[in-house]
């Protein structure tokens, strides 16, 4: 028995090693952190989104998005939400990309070549004409539509303010010019060496692309110009989760009350 007691005491002393009691350092006192708003910064690796006051332009963007969902949007504005799908946009941009305007250096080279050939006596009247290119600029495109010179018009869906191009689909329908609403103004701007472009149009193409242009024009006429249902469709009116839950609860209460009245009447 005494031998077993000695063994147990030795095991207990081995299991509990000596630990030094922590003492406060007077030079570096412990200061507990406060992670409230405007106080200490949270440790790295944590989401600090709820502590951030978003910039004013971000708040305005979010409020505008909510308003466009909640409010009823008239058809003249809602039509800009109905854009080309990915396959159609790829096809039309593939065609338009062939007729990008010349840069300054390209135009300089072309004119220098014409001057050289003319000085050598090899010039001809046909080569002096510039190649067909995409036309851009709001006033220029509008003038081409009014004169019925535009064969196809592409309008950006995210022009700000939208009033700049809101009337253009109606003008295209009146002048029987096929048009399409595409994404987005930066992509149209890249076609014409600009940062953004509200609209572009094609006035002429080469012979090998005339069939493709005709097919696209027919498709866009059916999808946009002659689509009367889209011109009568209102947008917006989408309520949030809380409003929908409240309306459902109200409808259920009315249904229960109507069922009770019907039961009493019977």
């Amino acid at each position: 028995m005494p031998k077993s007691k000695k063994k147990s005491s030795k095991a207990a002393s081995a299991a509990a090693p000596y630990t030094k009691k922590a003492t406060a350092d007077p030079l570096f006192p412990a200061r507990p952190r406060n992670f409230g708003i405007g106080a200490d910064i949270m440790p790295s690796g944590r989401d600090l989104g709820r502590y951030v006051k978003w910039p004013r332009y971000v708040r305005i963007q979010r409020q505008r998005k909510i308003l466009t969902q909640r409010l009823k949007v008239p058809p003249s504005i809602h039509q800009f939400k109905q854009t080309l799908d990915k396959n159609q946009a790829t096809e039309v941009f593939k065609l338009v990309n062939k007729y990008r305007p010349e840069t300054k250096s390209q135009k300089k080279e072309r004119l220098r070549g014409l001057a050289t050939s003319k000085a050598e006596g090899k010039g001809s009247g046909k080569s002096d004409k510039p190649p067909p290119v995409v036309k851009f600029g709001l006033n220029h495109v509008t003038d081409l539509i009014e004169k019925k010179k535009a064969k196809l018009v592409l309008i950006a869906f995210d022009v700000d303010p939208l009033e700049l191009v809101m009337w253009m689909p109606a003008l295209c329908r009146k002048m029987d010019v096929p048009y399409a609403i595409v994404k987005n103004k930066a992509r149209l701007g890249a076609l014409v060496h600009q940062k953004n472009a509200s609209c572009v149009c094609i006035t002429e193409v080469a012979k090998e692309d005339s069939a493709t242009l005709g097919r696209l024009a027919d498709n866009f006429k059916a999808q946009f110009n002659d689509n009367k249902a889209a011109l009568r469709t209102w947008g917006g009116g989408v309520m949030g989760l809380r409003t929908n839950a409240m309306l459902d609860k109200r409808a259920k209460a009315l249904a229960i009350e109507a069922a009770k009245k019907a039961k009493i009447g019977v």
Side-chain angles (χ1 to χ4, degrees):
M1 292 298 290
K3 289 182 180 178
S4 61
K5 284 182 181 178
K6 287 181 182 178
K7 286 182 181 179
S8 61
S9 62
K10 286 181 181 179
S13 61
Y18 173 75
T19 55
K20 186 179 179 181
K21 190 176 180 181
T23 56
D25 191 347
L27 295 178
F28 303 99
R31 295 187 182 91
R33 292 188 177 185
N34 175 24
F35 296 118
I37 296 175
D40 295 318
I41 299 175
M42 295 283 284
S44 60
R46 297 192 186 182
D47 184 15
L48 306 178
R50 67 191 186 95
Y51 296 97
V52 175
K53 183 178 180 182
W54 294 102
R56 185 169 178 268
Y57 77 94
V58 174
R59 296 198 300 271
I60 289 174
Q61 286 175 352
R62 294 181 177 181
Q63 291 167 1
R64 183 182 298 166
K65 184 180 179 181
I66 295 296
L67 282 176
T68 53
Q69 289 178 350
R70 302 288 185 265
L71 300 178
K72 289 289 188 71
V73 180
S76 58
I77 298 176
H78 182 62
Q79 65 179 337
F80 287 90
K81 297 290 183 183
Q82 304 168 12
T83 59
L84 293 179
D85 58 21
K86 186 177 180 181
N87 294 331
Q88 291 175 314
T90 302
E91 189 175 3
V92 71
F93 275 100
K94 187 177 179 181
L95 172 65
V96 177
N97 199 40
K98 296 181 181 179
Y99 300 96
R100 297 180 68 185
E102 297 175 313
T103 61
K104 289 183 178 181
S105 59
Q106 290 173 346
K107 184 177 181 180
K108 199 172 182 181
E109 286 293 326
R110 181 174 62 84
L111 294 177
R112 185 182 287 118
L114 289 174
T116 304
S117 60
K118 192 173 182 180
E120 294 174 356
K122 299 178 182 179
S124 61
K126 292 183 180 179
S127 61
D128 294 344
K129 186 180 178 182
V133 294
V134 176
K135 309 296 183 182
F136 65 100
L138 190 59
N139 292 336
H140 188 31
V141 172
T142 303
D143 187 50
L144 293 172
I145 294 172
E146 290 175 345
K147 293 178 180 178
K148 296 187 177 182
K149 291 183 178 180
K151 303 288 181 64
L152 181 63
V153 179
L154 301 179
I155 307 171
F157 84 119
D158 57 345
V159 179
D160 187 27
L162 194 60
E163 289 82 0
L164 291 174
V165 294
M166 194 192 301
W167 46 268
M168 190 170 283
L171 180 63
C172 291
R173 287 193 297 272
K174 182 179 180 181
M175 295 298 172
D176 198 26
V177 174
Y179 74 94
I181 298 172
V182 298
K183 299 178 182 178
N184 51 22
K185 60 183 180 182
R187 195 173 182 184
L188 290 181
L191 290 173
V192 293
H193 311 294
Q194 300 288 327
K195 187 177 180 181
N196 295 316
S198 60
C199 56
V200 299
C201 74
I202 297 177
T203 54
E204 57 178 332
V205 294
K207 289 183 179 180
E208 60 268 17
D209 294 324
S210 57
T212 304
L213 178 63
R215 179 168 50 81
L216 289 173
D218 294 339
N219 293 341
F220 295 160
K221 268 192 176 182
Q223 186 174 351
F224 292 96
N225 293 60
D226 302 332
N227 190 2
K228 295 182 180 179
L231 301 177
R232 300 193 188 103
T233 305
W234 283 65
V238 180
M239 295 293 105
L241 296 176
R242 292 182 181 179
T243 304
N244 287 331
M246 182 189 68
L247 294 175
D248 292 341
K249 188 176 179 181
R250 188 181 297 171
K252 287 178 182 178
L254 291 173
I256 292 170
E257 188 177 351
K260 286 181 180 179
K261 288 181 180 179
K263 191 175 182 180
I264 293 171
V266 171

